[in-house]
């Protein structure tokens, strides 16, 4: 008896009608960093109506077509806007971990899409460089609020593993160590 293989979920995004394949899988640091943040947020959202998703929900950002993004992390607070594996509302928070194949889209068109859709907070993480850029939506435009590159040399005057970061819309705080040391 032969067994059929289940089709693997293909990670892709559709932007302006163009499908972008998101394979091969990114470096292991990508999932470690996203997983660390996911755990902190999930714990911090207990008792909330909001849900956090990690790389497994499509964000249907356009009402005019069937385009979608698949954010690395997304906080969805309107549960009625979740249908199947898609979210049709406006996320409160999105984080993207860059890789060589996605850096241009994450810092360019995807950032523009999140901004135009009203996503209040957008993080761009660089797992290999151990860096984070934090953007807040101010008067309809993203403003770089914070930017950190990890310095884990305890003898350095710029040592910053204890640097705290708090999500804008939630009382969820984490340190650079929480994010980048695993």
């Amino acid at each position: 008896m032969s067994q059929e293989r289940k089709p693997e979920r293909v990670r892709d995004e559709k932007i302006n009608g163009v499908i972008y394949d998101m394979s091969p899988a990114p470096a292991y640091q990508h999932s470690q960093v996203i997983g660390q943040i996911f755990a902190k947020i999930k714990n911090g959202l207990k008792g909330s109506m909001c849900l956090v998703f990690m790389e497994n929900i499509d964000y249907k950002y356009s009402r005019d077509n069937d385009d979608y993004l698949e954010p690395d992390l997304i906080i969805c607070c309107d549960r009625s806007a979740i249908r199947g594996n898609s979210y049709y509302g406006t996320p409160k928070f999105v984080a993207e971990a860059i890789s060589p194949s996605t850096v241009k889209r994450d810092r360019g068109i995807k950032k523009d899409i999140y901004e135009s859709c009203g996503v209040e907070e957008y993080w761009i993480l660089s797992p290999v460089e151990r860096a984070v850029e934090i953007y807040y939506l101010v008067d309809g435009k993203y403003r770089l609020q914070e930017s950190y590159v990890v310095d884990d040399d305890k003898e350095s005057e710029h040592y910053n593993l204890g640097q705290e970061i708090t999500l804008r819309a939630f009382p969820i705080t984490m340190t650079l160590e929480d994010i980048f040391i695993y």
Side-chain angles (χ1 to χ4, degrees), residues 160-179:
N160 63 357
L161 280 181
Q163 176 64 51
E164 290 186 340
I165 301 170
T166 302
L167 272 69
R168 184 180 190 183
F170 305 95
I172 300 171
T173 299
M174 61 195 83
T175 65
L176 292 177
E177 182 173 20
D178 293 333
I179 298 169

Side-chain angles (χ1 to χ4, degrees), residues 46-153:
K46 283 184 181 171
S48 166
M49 286 301 296
C50 299
L51 297 170
V52 60
F53 295 91
M54 183 173 80
E55 304 174 338
N56 63 348
I57 193 164
D58 293 337
Y59 172 41
K60 301 278 190 160
Y61 63 89
S62 177
R63 307 295 178 253
D64 300 327
N65 57 47
D66 62 348
D67 286 355
Y68 56 91
L69 300 174
E70 190 172 313
D72 291 323
L73 275 174
I74 183 172
I75 297 177
C76 306
C77 294
D78 180 1
R79 290 186 181 207
S80 69
I82 300 171
R83 288 184 231 115
N85 68 334
S86 298
Y87 185 63
Y88 293 83
T90 300
K92 291 283 189 185
F93 169 87
V94 169
E96 296 283 4
I98 62 172
S99 66
S101 64
T102 67
V103 64
K104 185 175 179 183
R105 267 194 325 275
D106 292 337
R107 284 204 168 115
I109 193 163
K110 288 173 72 172
K111 182 173 164 248
D112 293 346
I113 290 167
Y114 295 138
E115 179 183 76
S116 69
C117 290
V119 177
E120 294 176 21
E121 185 169 355
Y122 179 49
W123 289 15
I124 300 175
L125 298 135
S126 180
V128 175
E129 288 81 17
R130 300 188 310 165
V132 60
E133 299 169 7
I134 300 170
Y135 294 87
Y136 288 168
L137 195 64
V138 178
D139 297 326
K141 294 286 183 195
Y142 276 141
R143 302 285 183 251
L144 180 62
Q145 184 67 29
E146 316 248 354
S147 181
Y148 302 103
V149 176
V150 170
D151 181 347
D152 58 3
D153 177 0

